Every structure is written in C-alpha cells, then in structure tokens.
C-alpha cells in the first residue's frame, strides 16, 4: 500500500471499519504524485480538475480570492485529507487550494472515484463522510469567528489540529508540528498580524501550550478544551457503522 493510501485509510478507519476489499479498492486507484513548495497553488480557482487531490504530507489551505486581489484562507487541510473531493460533483472550483508548507500530494482520477461510487456503497459513504466533515469544520470556524474571543479561537484551533493529526499518526503525547507563519495564522483566525502575535503570547502565558517555532506542545489538552469550549463531536472521530 502506498503512503498516500495508507494515510487515507488511517483517516477513514478512525470513523468506521474499512473492509480488506475496500482497502484493496483504494490501493488499486491510480495515483499521480506531485510536490508543491510552500506558497504554491495546488488547485486553481475556476479550474476544472479531472482528478481529486489527496494530501500526503504538509499543510494546505483553501483560499477564496477577494476583489482587491488578496485572498482569505477559509480552512486548513492536514495529511489524509482529500482537499477537493467535492470537485468530483461541483466540477468548477469556487476557491483555490494553496500549500502552507512544502506538500506532497497525489491526484486520483475522477473516473476511478466515480467507479467506486457505483460498485462499493459503503466505501462511497466513507468518502462522502469526509466531505461532510469538511463542512462541519467550516461551520465550526464560522461560529468561532463570530462568537469567540481571539484566545478561544486559537486554542480551539490547536485542539482541533491535534486530534486531526493524531488520527493519522502525526501527533502524539501532546506534540505536533505546525509550520505556519503568523501572517497565515492571522488570516485563518480573522485577526490583524499584531493581534495574532499578542494572542499567541497570551496562549503561551496560560502555560497550557508551548509553541516553539514550528513545534506545538499541548501540556493539558482537557484544560485547553474546557477553556476554549472545544467539543470534538464535529470531527466524527468515534468509530461507528456509517
């Protein structure tokens, strides 16, 4: 099994049991690998991708262009995410996907994904689930931007990222890598760069989180979750029949 399909299976298996034949179907998918440097555009807005992009390593983000030419980052993607699986049905992308760090991806042809939808109903539901979780994360971010303090937004994001990375084996013992600039973080949190820097310092001062350049350590996850109102229900990390 390739690294790409392995990390996808890890992500899906946290939500439901994948049968051996379903893993075999995924393993037989065609994969076109590609590398993107930090800042590169992985998927272009208004494009018509013939394949969906699976993130294998690195961090990526959805970006919506503004009339003045600037962009707004609207969602983060971690390894194991199909960053544009919805493109299979939407056809034309209404946003772009950009690399926040050096990224490795594979592109899976839409034709092969459609074939799965016709022959493997349970696996289809699992892939569908991944797009509904994307929507859940987006809803949560909207609520955070509208109803939470900057410190709560940042702490909540740290809790979410830790669990999403832990699900694919990229976080453990409270530690994970988060190679993102404060400028990018301010865009995600809807804050000015100055306010973002102040909020990061405020979070460090709580002693619940240590943040050293690209390395984050959550010293007390439960306390951080309580302080930020984090409820992981929207991530659907409990295995159950789908």
């Amino acid at each position: 099994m390739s690294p790409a399909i392995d990390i996808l299976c890890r992500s899906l298996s946290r939500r439901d049991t994948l049968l051996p034949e379903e893993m075999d179907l995924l393993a037989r998918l065609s994969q076109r690998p590609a590398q993107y440097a930090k800042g590169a555009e992985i998927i272009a807005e208004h494009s018509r991708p013939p394949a969906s992009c699976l993130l294998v390593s690195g961090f990526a983000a959805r970006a919506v262009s503004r009339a003045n030419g600037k962009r707004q980052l609207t969602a983060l993607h971690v390894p194991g995410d199909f960053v544009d699986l919805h493109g299979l049905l939407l056809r034309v992308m209404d946003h772009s996907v950009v690399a926040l760090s050096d990224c490795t991806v594979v592109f899976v042809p839409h034709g092969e994904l459609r074939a799965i939808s016709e022959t493997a109903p349970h696996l289809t539901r699992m892939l569908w689930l991944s797009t509904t979780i994307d929507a859940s994360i987006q809803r949560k971010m909207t609520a955070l931007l509208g109803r939470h303090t900057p410190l709560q937004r940042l702490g909540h994001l740290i809790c979410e990222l830790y669990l999403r990375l832990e699900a694919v084996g990229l976080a453990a013992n409270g530690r994970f890598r988060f190679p993102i600039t404060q400028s990018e973080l301010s865009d995600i949190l809807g804050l000015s760069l100055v306010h973002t820097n102040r909020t990061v310092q405020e979070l460090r001062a709580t002693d619940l989180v240590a943040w050293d350049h690209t390395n984050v350590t959550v010293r007390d996850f439960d306390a951080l979750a309580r302080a930020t109102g984090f409820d992981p229900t929207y991530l659907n990390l409990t295995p159950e029949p789908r």
Side-chain angles (χ1 to χ4, degrees), residues 150-188:
L151 182 61
Q152 288 173 325
R153 293 180 213 172
L154 179 56
H156 196 284
L157 180 64
I158 294 299
C159 288
E160 176 190 300
L161 285 175
Y162 180 78
L163 290 186
R164 291 172 68 189
L165 290 167
E166 183 187 46
V168 292
L170 296 177
N173 301 317
R175 298 181 178 87
F176 66 95
R177 289 192 69 250
F178 190 31
I180 189 173
T181 67
Q182 286 206 0
S183 176
E184 292 160 340
L185 185 61
S186 68
D187 199 358
I188 293 165

Side-chain angles (χ1 to χ4, degrees), residues 43-47 61-65 74 77 83-84 86 90 92-97:
I43 307 292
E45 188 173 2
H46 299 136
S47 64
R62 292 183 191 167
V64 175
S65 298
T74 63
H77 282 294
V83 301
D84 63 341
H86 52 284
L90 297 181
V92 179
M93 296 295 290
D94 62 357
H95 61 280
S96 62
V97 178

Side-chain angles (χ1 to χ4, degrees), residues 16-200:
D16 192 3
T17 301
L18 281 181
L19 300 175
E21 54 266 35
E22 293 172 330
M23 293 186 192
D24 188 54
L25 272 176
L26 292 173
R28 293 204 306 268
L29 290 172
S30 300
Q31 301 169 48
R32 179 173 65 82
Q35 304 279 339
Y36 291 90
K38 177 180 172 64
E41 186 176 65
I42 301 173
I43 307 292
E45 188 173 2
H46 299 136
S47 64
R48 287 178 171 267
S52 285
C53 178
L54 173 61
L55 185 60
V56 183
S57 68
F59 285 82
R62 292 183 191 167
V64 175
S65 298
R66 296 162 58 188
N68 60 7
K70 294 184 178 180
R71 71 184 187 192
Q72 174 71 48
L73 301 182
T74 63
L76 283 174
H77 282 294
V78 303
D81 287 355
F82 257 123
V83 301
D84 63 341
L85 189 57
H86 52 284
L88 176 64
L89 296 177
L90 297 181
R91 301 305 178 104
V92 179
M93 296 295 290
D94 62 357
H95 61 280
S96 62
V97 178
V98 297
L100 297 185
S101 67
D102 292 346
C103 289
T104 300
V105 306
V106 298
F107 291 92
V108 178
H110 283 169
E112 296 188 27
L113 292 171
R114 277 194 293 271
I116 284 179
S117 72
E118 294 165 359
T119 60
H122 177 254
L123 183 54
T124 298
R125 292 195 298 273
M126 292 298 293
L127 293 174
W128 181 17
L129 176 64
S130 71
T131 65
T132 64
I133 292 172
D134 284 346
S136 296
I137 291 172
Q138 193 72 69
R139 287 192 296 272
K140 183 61 68 173
M141 179 57 71
T142 300
L144 287 170
L145 293 177
R147 298 291 182 179
H148 291 67
T149 68
L151 182 61
Q152 288 173 325
R153 293 180 213 172
L154 179 56
H156 196 284
L157 180 64
I158 294 299
C159 288
E160 176 190 300
L161 285 175
Y162 180 78
L163 290 186
R164 291 172 68 189
L165 290 167
E166 183 187 46
V168 292
L170 296 177
N173 301 317
R175 298 181 178 87
F176 66 95
R177 289 192 69 250
F178 190 31
I180 189 173
T181 67
Q182 286 206 0
S183 176
E184 292 160 340
L185 185 61
S186 68
D187 199 358
I188 293 165
L189 296 176
L191 302 170
S192 69
L193 185 57
V194 170
H195 204 167
T196 298
N197 181 271
R198 185 182 304 127
T199 304
V200 171

